[in-house]
Amino acid sequence: RYRCFGCQASGDVFDFIQEIEHVDFVTAVESLAARAGIQLNYTTGGESKERARRKRLVEAMASAVDFYHQRLLTSPDARAARDYLRKRGLAGDVARNFKLGWAPDDWDQLSTGLGAPAEVLRETGLAFTNKSGRLQDAFRGRVMFPIYTENGEPVAFGGRILPGSPDPAKYKNSSETPIYAKSKTLYGLNWAKADIVATDQVIVCEGYTDVIGFHRSGIRRAVATCGTALTEEHVRMMKRFASRVVLAFDADKAGQGAAERFYEWEEKYKVQVNVARFPAGQDPGELAVRDPDA
């Protein structure tokens, strides 16, 4: 058991994990059981089956994160990706810390190299069955940004093309799956939540590189929506960690429109909102790296 003589919080080990890690009771039990090497038995068969399914999908995603990451670090065909990341200040330790990766420009290298069942690859959105009836990788020729839940489970990817690519879609994001809901996921929350709680403030950006830029500058309380608009679910999630929100969106019409929509939830969830204003064409993440005090 524990007791804090400052804030008077107290409880057992499960309460402690829930408070410190900001997770629910079941997740706290599973985390402690895994640490202690204890096998859990679920009383409801359906729940056990669903959790076992989720575990398989998350494990496949974790293997994909490692596959893409090692490809970026070591493969000759990733040289252009490494050069691009180096120019953006995202190479070396940054790439390792955020587990950045490279999806080779090939049909099925992930599908054949991962060794996961075809059903699992399709359910996670890592692959799909093409018109020829063959399994084909969903991401090709892209720098990969793995997306995690607040508890650190890999559940999705965002992939960016390299400059000069003929692909018209600059970013491609994982579709929704049994383990991934865009409206309930914030990129970077797994890394940022400790600093968010400590400062009672969360900074919301639009993109993956913005979040990484803030973290590089020492401002480790930044998160981003995952290729979708800010939703009420996002606001509800942020409220669990902090009461102050800074919207650091791009200075274009879309970014400022997103900021205006947030005010609908400000009163409902009792959060204090500030909007960071940037000069047109200014990338918030790059500005944070150059001048954190700004």
Side-chain angles (χ1 to χ4, degrees), residues 113-141:
L114 216 55
E119 177 186 355
V120 169
L121 292 171
R122 285 192 292 265
E123 280 196 274
T124 53
L126 292 171
F128 62 95
T129 302
N130 61 24
K131 294 180 180 179
S132 302
R134 292 180 53 191
L135 207 60
Q136 181 176 324
D137 294 349
F139 294 93
R140 297 173 51 197

Side-chain angles (χ1 to χ4, degrees), residues 279-293:
Q282 177 66 68
D283 182 275
E286 292 181 358
L287 175 61
V289 173
R290 292 198 305 271
D291 187 2
D293 291 334

Side-chain angles (χ1 to χ4, degrees), residues 26-44:
V26 174
T27 303
V29 173
E30 291 178 333
S31 174
L32 289 167
R35 186 179 303 179
I38 296 173
Q39 177 66 45
L40 293 177
N41 293 312
Y42 296 88
T43 56
T44 305

Side-chain angles (χ1 to χ4, degrees), residues 54-69:
R54 178 181 177 83
K55 183 179 179 181
R56 286 197 303 273
L57 300 183
V58 170
E59 286 176 346
M61 292 299 296
S63 296
V65 170
D66 289 337
F67 176 91
Y68 289 136
H69 185 57

